[in-house]
Amino acid sequence: DTATREALDTINPDRAKLGNVSVLKDSVVKITFTGADSLDIFAYEVRHKRVDSAFRLIRQVRFDTAGGRYTVYDTTATRSEQLCYQVLTKDSCLNIVSSDTLCAVQLEGRPGNKQNQLRWDAFRGKPNPRYQVQRKQGGTWQTVGQTTDTSLTDSTDMACQVTQSYRILTTFVGSADTSYSDTLQLTPFDTTAPPRQDLHFASAQTQGEVKVE
């Protein structure tokens, strides 16, 4: 007699490597990844999540070439919560394996007395992130502070009631990758009264004028 059997593949494919996530505008995130080093790949699924929520599909990318480099843009609100991303790799038998997860910096802050107080959710998924706090001055972004912490107070050349724009540039030790946060606008105030001026005298002059010193 004859028998028919169907081959099974239960071996997970190689993982895609999620390279970087970076906010381009307050509504667009750029995601780059390197595909699996295998020919038996069907597609990649790029997913994102917010804090305390499940990952959801934002884009399916068809396999092109083994180890290929891919770029995906996610149009979404970036100002409310930190955004995290992962890439699922599917082979031809629909075995699935996930990449590591990367989370972009989420910037927050509040205005102060001739200063702006900034804090942010740390970049997650890569070791040793370092942060440059940038402020837009004269139409260009200038670094006003650098730190490995997740907060900084900016009081440099601060005028009251003048709105300042900020973003965080993240760099990584031993890597050329960089990642930007969303942007934030803050308007500092000034509660300090100006110096008191002493009035020495006032004297009536001719033609109804008064001389004051």
Side-chain angles (χ1 to χ4, degrees):
D1 58 351
T2 60
T4 301
R5 295 291 186 269
E6 197 171 289
L8 297 177
D9 177 7
T10 59
I11 300 174
N12 285 333
D14 295 335
R15 297 195 304 171
K17 182 181 179 181
L18 186 53
N20 201 20
V21 296
S22 180
V23 179
L24 299 184
K25 300 177 182 178
D26 286 342
S27 60
V28 179
V29 181
K30 180 181 179 181
I31 306 104
T32 59
F33 67 95
T34 301
D37 189 16
S38 172
L39 295 176
D40 187 30
I41 303 299
F42 171 67
Y44 303 102
E45 290 188 356
V46 182
R47 296 171 173 254
H48 83 197
K49 64 167 288 189
R50 301 181 187 277
V51 177
D52 299 327
S53 65
F55 278 102
R56 68 179 187 86
L57 175 67
I58 60 169
R59 185 74 54 81
Q60 179 166 280
V61 180
R62 295 300 298 268
F63 173 78
D64 182 12
T65 183
R69 294 182 63 84
Y70 300 86
T71 300
V72 173
Y73 297 93
D74 180 23
T75 300
T76 185
T78 64
R79 293 291 303 277
S80 57
E81 296 176 282
Q82 187 175 37
L83 286 165
C84 299
Y85 292 85
Q86 65 176 201
V87 178
L88 302 185
T89 303
K90 288 183 175 182
D91 67 14
S92 58
C93 290
L94 300 185
N95 295 306
I96 299 175
V97 64
S98 174
S99 71
D100 292 334
T101 298
L102 297 183
C103 302
V105 168
Q106 169 68 26
L107 178 59
E108 300 175 352
R110 63 180 182 179
N113 187 21
K114 297 185 72 173
Q115 64 182 16
N116 287 320
Q117 300 164 4
L118 306 169
R119 65 162 303 278
W120 53 92
D121 292 323
F123 191 100
R124 292 193 284 166
K126 289 187 177 185
N128 304 316
R130 296 184 177 185
Y131 306 107
Q132 295 181 25
V133 178
Q134 297 187 330
R135 192 174 87 191
K136 185 171 274 190
Q137 296 174 294
T140 61
W141 290 100
Q142 304 291 330
T143 297
V144 295
Q146 301 185 56
T147 182
T148 56
D149 293 329
T150 56
S151 64
L152 185 141
T153 297
D154 177 28
S155 59
T156 305
D157 299 327
M158 200 67 63
C160 66
Q161 302 305 318
V162 176
T163 300
Q164 306 288 347
S165 296
Y166 294 92
R167 71 180 182 184
I168 305 297
L169 169 61
T170 306
T171 61
F172 308 94
V173 175
S175 172
D177 290 336
T178 59
S179 177
Y180 290 102
S181 73
D182 54 327
T183 59
L184 178 68
Q185 286 76 43
L186 295 173
T187 305
F189 51 84
D190 183 1
T191 60
T192 304
R196 177 178 175 176
Q197 302 298 317
D198 293 330
L199 179 61
H200 297 291
F201 72 86
S203 176
Q205 305 292 306
T206 60
Q207 299 180 348
E209 297 178 347
V210 176
K211 183 179 180 181
V212 178
E213 290 188 5

